[in-house]
Amino acid sequence: MYYTSTRILHLLWICLLCLTLLSPYSFAGKMKIVEEPNTFGLNNPFLAQGSRLQPKVTPGPVSGPAHLRRLAGKCFSYIESTYKYEFCPFHNITQHEQSFRWNAYSGILGIWQEWEIVNNTFLAMWMREGDACGNKNRQTKVILTCGGSSKLAQVSEPTTCVYSLSFETPLVCHPHSLLVYPTLSDKLQMEWDEVEQARYENLITEQGYNNLLRDIFEDAGFLKSQKVKEKPDITTTSKTHDSLQKCNQDVRKQREEIERLQALLTQHNIPHESKAAKEKIPLSVTVQNQHLRGDNGLIVDVL
């Protein structure tokens, strides 16, 4: 019994000695703790969300009322629920999910393209060609309303992937601040006057009137052109004219023909009555319409 206990103690002493001799080699290296940044969602302090966004097209040129151009280069944020919206006039609008999920959404809801003009007044800005949404692209309509300061006031999604934003700004509080006519060049204003004259004399249909106005707005850069560019025909030397110029020529020819017929009736003492004969209206007429005329509605130092 004594021999067995002594042997066991001896074996234990040998084991402790071995552990002592091997310990410098076993525990010489320190444990390495790897700390890597989270590259997903809002936990990533090194990668800005906006840097991941890839626009499909370039924004359209700045256009519209001169006093609104001071908004270019600025951005306005709005947070609703778990989403942050950022609107940059004449550039784009983006949406960022405020979440700690690894795949939090961040995308482009639209890129500046054109104005929406209703009743000859700038109504809204259209941001199109945003990120893909099924078989179409996201787009946003930004409605301009009067407010004490420039800010995003409301965001909604009336239909899938088509968003509606309300942007308040004191720049549109003047009743004439969004009129289209004062922003046009003298040449385009004259063309508009001729179109109004042709409409007044029932020389063009309502559809033709709207098409001619759209041509004017496209030439001014307010609307994105829908015209198909054609290669010039080098085999002909005749000059081509756009639809508005051709319409004006037709109007003049018809007016001359009417005057000739009226003179012929008068020569033969045949009674006739004509609204154009009663009212001698010049070719370029100033249309008295509050939607067409008015000052620019400039507001100084409101931002």
Side-chain angles (χ1 to χ4, degrees), residues 158-211:
T159 58
T160 304
C161 301
V162 178
Y163 305 84
S164 177
L165 273 71
S166 176
F167 180 70
E168 295 182 355
T169 175
L171 294 173
V172 300
C173 291
H174 192 283
H176 295 164
S177 60
L178 292 176
L179 294 181
V180 177
Y181 190 93
T183 65
L184 297 174
S185 64
D186 293 341
K187 177 179 178 296
L188 292 180
Q189 286 184 356
M190 184 177 299
E191 291 182 3
W192 194 341
D193 291 341
E194 293 178 349
V195 171
E196 292 292 340
Q197 179 67 32
R199 183 193 190 193
Y200 176 79
E201 296 183 359
N202 295 322
L203 298 177
I204 55 176
T205 63
E206 193 66 20
Q207 181 179 356
Y209 169 78
N210 292 329
N211 290 338

Side-chain angles (χ1 to χ4, degrees), residues 53-211:
L53 306 181
Q54 299 295 329
K56 296 180 179 180
V57 297
T58 56
V62 178
S63 64
H67 56 283
L68 293 184
R69 301 191 178 195
R70 68 184 68 180
L71 296 175
K74 299 180 180 180
C75 295
F76 305 87
S77 299
Y78 178 81
I79 297 178
E80 181 177 278
S81 184
T82 59
Y83 290 97
K84 177 182 179 181
Y85 300 87
E86 191 168 26
F87 169 54
C88 302
F90 304 107
H91 189 64
N92 66 14
I93 180 166
T94 57
Q95 180 188 42
H96 308 281
E97 182 180 359
Q98 305 295 285
S99 171
F100 288 92
R101 296 189 304 112
W102 70 271
N103 61 343
Y105 174 78
S106 182
I108 299 176
L109 301 186
I111 300 172
W112 162 243
Q113 295 293 302
E114 62 182 353
W115 286 96
E116 178 175 332
I117 299 177
V118 177
N119 196 23
N120 302 329
T121 301
F122 294 107
L123 177 66
M125 305 176 71
W126 269 106
M127 307 285 185
R128 308 185 193 274
E129 301 299 331
D131 288 346
C133 181
N135 58 355
K136 60 181 180 181
N137 296 327
R138 302 177 191 272
Q139 57 181 332
T140 303
K141 178 180 179 180
V142 182
I143 302 175
L144 306 179
T145 59
C146 175
S149 61
S150 296
K151 63 179 181 179
L152 280 178
Q154 187 178 5
V155 179
S156 62
E157 189 176 2
T159 58
T160 304
C161 301
V162 178
Y163 305 84
S164 177
L165 273 71
S166 176
F167 180 70
E168 295 182 355
T169 175
L171 294 173
V172 300
C173 291
H174 192 283
H176 295 164
S177 60
L178 292 176
L179 294 181
V180 177
Y181 190 93
T183 65
L184 297 174
S185 64
D186 293 341
K187 177 179 178 296
L188 292 180
Q189 286 184 356
M190 184 177 299
E191 291 182 3
W192 194 341
D193 291 341
E194 293 178 349
V195 171
E196 292 292 340
Q197 179 67 32
R199 183 193 190 193
Y200 176 79
E201 296 183 359
N202 295 322
L203 298 177
I204 55 176
T205 63
E206 193 66 20
Q207 181 179 356
Y209 169 78
N210 292 329
N211 290 338

Side-chain angles (χ1 to χ4, degrees), residues 120 184 188 191-199 203-220 223 227 242-251:
N120 302 329
L184 297 174
L188 292 180
E191 291 182 3
W192 194 341
D193 291 341
E194 293 178 349
V195 171
E196 292 292 340
Q197 179 67 32
R199 183 193 190 193
L203 298 177
I204 55 176
T205 63
E206 193 66 20
Q207 181 179 356
Y209 169 78
N210 292 329
N211 290 338
L212 291 174
L213 279 189
R214 180 174 181 89
D215 289 341
I216 293 176
F217 298 157
E218 288 182 359
D219 291 341
L223 300 181
K227 300 175 183 177
D242 57 30
S243 58
L244 182 58
Q245 291 176 330
K246 186 177 185 303
C247 177
N248 292 334
Q249 293 175 357
D250 293 340
V251 169

